[in-house]
Amino acid sequence: MIEKYKSIGIYDSGLGGLSVFKELFSKLKNENYIYFGDTKNLPYGDKKEDELLKIATNIFNIFERMNVKAVVMACNTTSAVVYDKIKDKYDFKIYPIIQNFAKYIASQNYERLGVFATSSTINSHAYLKYIKLYKNNISIFEHACPNWVKIVEENSFDDEINQNIIKKDLEELLKFRPQKIILGCTHYPFLLDNLSKYVQRDMFIDPARCFAKEIINDLAKHDLINEQEKGKITCYVSSNPKSFSKNSKIFFDFDLNPMLLNEKEYFVNI
Ligand code: DGL
């Protein structure tokens, strides 16, 4: 098949990657997309490098068998921890979120930035490392939010205990007086309504918009934009398609009709 007509694979541990997919889809409707929510392995954010590498390798192998032209790592945790280890192993394009976003944010006029992310992303210091590649005179304050992914996946924003967790994390990071706070986990933009109860909404930066632009520019540069076909969306999860379908409708405008990815297919090559 001509390369540009192949699908784009996108993955995350669950709902989070939809914040990236939504952005990409709004700008690029003619593509065929395959979204994979790895709900069986959720959350990624407390896993060690060897486990994340195994998980990401499985997902990349699945996408390779699906003959995609590109894989979008709509997941900060695997972009931070395993991208370097797998980036040269596949023939298709690979787009990691942090690395694509870092150059843009470093080009802006900030001197103090906060980052909210999962524990694994924060422990890797990936945001600090990649932003400092492009700009040295900047202070980055990193704060792990180990409970936030669960709050999004369970759709339990309004629970009082969870509200207090969110508020406390916010207070901790605000002590460093950042000019802006990067939402360094793709689940977190779904908490923006809650976050903006305490701090102005424009305090937060969702990397998805800039990430989607970078992906589109690079696809165009390599003549990989699918201009002719009408796009099709296929969605797989590794467990619980019903609950994914229900919760994804809260964030996405239509039913993604998630299908359970065949266990045998999923675990080939472990
Ligand atoms: N949404 C992903 C990220 O951006 C993974 C979160 C998780 O499963 O802990 O890091």
Side-chain angles (χ1 to χ4, degrees), residues 167-222:
K167 213 169 133 195
K168 192 155 176 281
D169 283 322
L170 200 46
E171 282 164 4
E172 286 296 317
L173 190 51
L174 287 173
K175 282 182 193 159
F176 296 99
R177 294 176 291 103
Q179 292 160 289
K180 297 278 175 193
I181 297 176
I182 299 167
L183 298 177
C185 166
T186 52
H187 279 77
Y188 298 174
F190 295 123
L191 290 171
L192 265 170
D193 285 345
N194 281 269
L195 289 166
S196 52
K197 283 184 196 161
Y198 310 110
V199 183
Q200 273 190 334
R201 206 181 174 96
D202 70 359
M203 177 65 160
F204 302 99
I205 302 177
D206 173 3
R209 182 167 297 178
C210 153
F211 183 33
K213 270 194 208 150
E214 289 292 317
I215 295 169
I216 295 166
N217 286 345
D218 193 71
L219 288 172
K221 192 167 128 194
H222 294 93

Side-chain angles (χ1 to χ4, degrees), residues 12-13 16 42-45 75-77 118 121 149 185-187:
D12 181 40
S13 60
L42 183 118
Y44 285 175
C75 167
N76 290 264
T77 307
T118 66
T121 301
V149 167
C185 166
T186 52
H187 279 77

Side-chain angles (χ1 to χ4, degrees), residues 52-65:
L52 289 169
L53 184 58
K54 223 180 202 178
I55 286 170
T57 303
N58 266 319
I59 295 173
F60 274 76
N61 289 346
I62 291 167
F63 280 134
E64 188 174 48
R65 290 199 296 280

Side-chain angles (χ1 to χ4, degrees), residues 252-265:
F252 216 74
D253 310 333
F254 48 84
D255 194 351
L256 291 163
N257 280 321
M259 295 174 277
L260 190 64
L261 197 71
N262 181 307
E263 286 268 310
K264 269 199 205 120
E265 185 180 12

